[in-house]
């Protein structure tokens, strides 16, 4: 998000003052040179050009990707200086309709039309059929917000390409203990 004074910040909620959110530059300075992949959950597409400049400045552009992109945001992404960053399309796929060929074809057509690398969805909408469909067609799966061990294990079975969590240490421990 962006403060009224133009400073880019990390904030899930709307930013209304120049004190809201944590400055993105502080996080990027910690990540500079680490090679860690950076998931940027875009809440306001108006920030994309400034975001591009900041990612370049901190040398992390090549290790960044976008989530939070709705179908209505695709044109803004494509018309921004971030147009060559990979992005996942936010989706709320049906756990029942995913078993029909028509629905599967619709998902694949949407991804092809938008240029997204995959789907970003709440973990409760992700299932094996969706994961298999995406992966077998060269697309990726990103799930959010996975904060409980049981949900992490359920998500890991799907082999997602990205997991968003507020419980990083718990997720890391769950991954490290996976299969033991």
């Amino acid at each position: 998000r962006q403060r009224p004074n133009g400073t880019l910040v990390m904030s899930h909620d709307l930013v209304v003052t120049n004190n809201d959110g944590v400055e993105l530059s502080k996080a990027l300075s910690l990540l500079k040179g680490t090679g860690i992949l950076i998931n940027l959950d875009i809440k306001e597409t108006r920030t994309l050009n400034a975001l591009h400049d900041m990612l370049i400045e901190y040398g992390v552009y090549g290790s960044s990707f976008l989530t939070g992109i709705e179908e209505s945001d695709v044109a803004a992404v494509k018309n921004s200086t971030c147009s060559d960053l990979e992005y996942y399309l936010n989706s709320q796929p049906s756990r029942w309709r995913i078993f029909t060929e028509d629905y599967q074809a619709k998902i694949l057509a949407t991804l092809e039309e938008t240029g997204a690398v995959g789907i970003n969805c709440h973990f409760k909408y992700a299932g094996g059929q969706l994961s298999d469909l995406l992966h077998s067609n060269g697309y990726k799966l990103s799930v959010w917000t996975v904060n409980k061990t049981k949900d992490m294990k359920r998500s890991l079975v799907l082999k997602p390409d990205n997991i968003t969590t507020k419980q990083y240490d718990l997720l890391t421990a769950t991954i490290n203990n996976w299969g033991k």
Side-chain angles (χ1 to χ4, degrees):
R1 294 208 185 257
Q2 191 173 39
R3 290 178 179 162
N5 67 6
T7 303
L8 295 182
V9 295
M10 298 181 299
S11 178
H12 187 274
D13 300 325
L14 189 61
V15 172
V16 292
T17 74
N18 286 329
N19 294 320
D20 291 341
V22 175
E23 289 185 22
L24 181 59
S25 61
K26 291 180 181 180
L28 295 181
S29 68
L30 295 171
L31 295 169
K32 185 176 184 174
T34 64
I36 293 173
L37 292 178
I38 304 169
N39 173 1
L40 298 157
D41 184 18
I42 302 301
K43 301 296 183 190
E44 301 170 351
T45 56
R46 68 186 175 111
T47 65
L48 289 171
N49 291 333
L51 175 63
H52 170 271
D53 294 346
M54 186 175 281
L55 295 174
I56 295 293
E57 176 184 345
Y58 285 90
V60 295
Y61 190 80
S63 59
S64 300
F65 63 93
L66 308 176
T67 57
I69 305 300
E70 304 290 338
E71 279 189 68
S72 59
D73 297 328
V74 169
V77 172
K78 289 183 176 183
N79 292 323
S80 77
T81 52
C82 287
S83 63
D84 60 339
L85 277 183
E86 289 189 345
Y87 62 91
Y88 289 81
L89 196 64
N90 274 10
S91 182
Q92 191 174 336
S94 169
R95 297 218 33 198
W96 296 272
R97 291 179 58 210
I98 192 65
F99 291 96
T100 67
E101 289 182 22
D102 288 348
Y103 189 72
Q104 292 176 12
K106 180 181 175 187
I107 289 173
L108 295 175
T110 299
L111 290 171
E112 178 70 25
E113 290 167 13
T114 61
V117 297
I119 285 181
N120 181 48
C121 65
H122 190 279
F123 72 90
K124 70 182 179 180
Y125 295 108
Q129 192 72 19
L130 175 65
S131 178
D132 291 346
L133 173 70
L134 294 174
H135 290 132
S136 66
N137 285 280
Y139 292 105
K140 298 177 181 181
L141 175 63
S142 173
V143 293
W144 57 268
T145 300
V146 187
N147 293 322
K148 296 179 181 173
T149 302
K150 69 178 181 73
D151 298 328
M152 291 174 182
K153 289 178 179 179
R154 179 186 174 279
S155 295
L156 287 170
V157 168
L158 305 176
K159 300 179 181 163
D161 301 278
N162 179 61
I163 298 176
T164 299
T165 184
K166 294 179 182 177
Q167 303 296 326
Y168 176 79
D169 292 337
L170 181 60
L171 178 59
T172 300
T174 303
I175 291 169
N176 289 338
N177 291 320
W178 191 249
K180 291 183 181 179

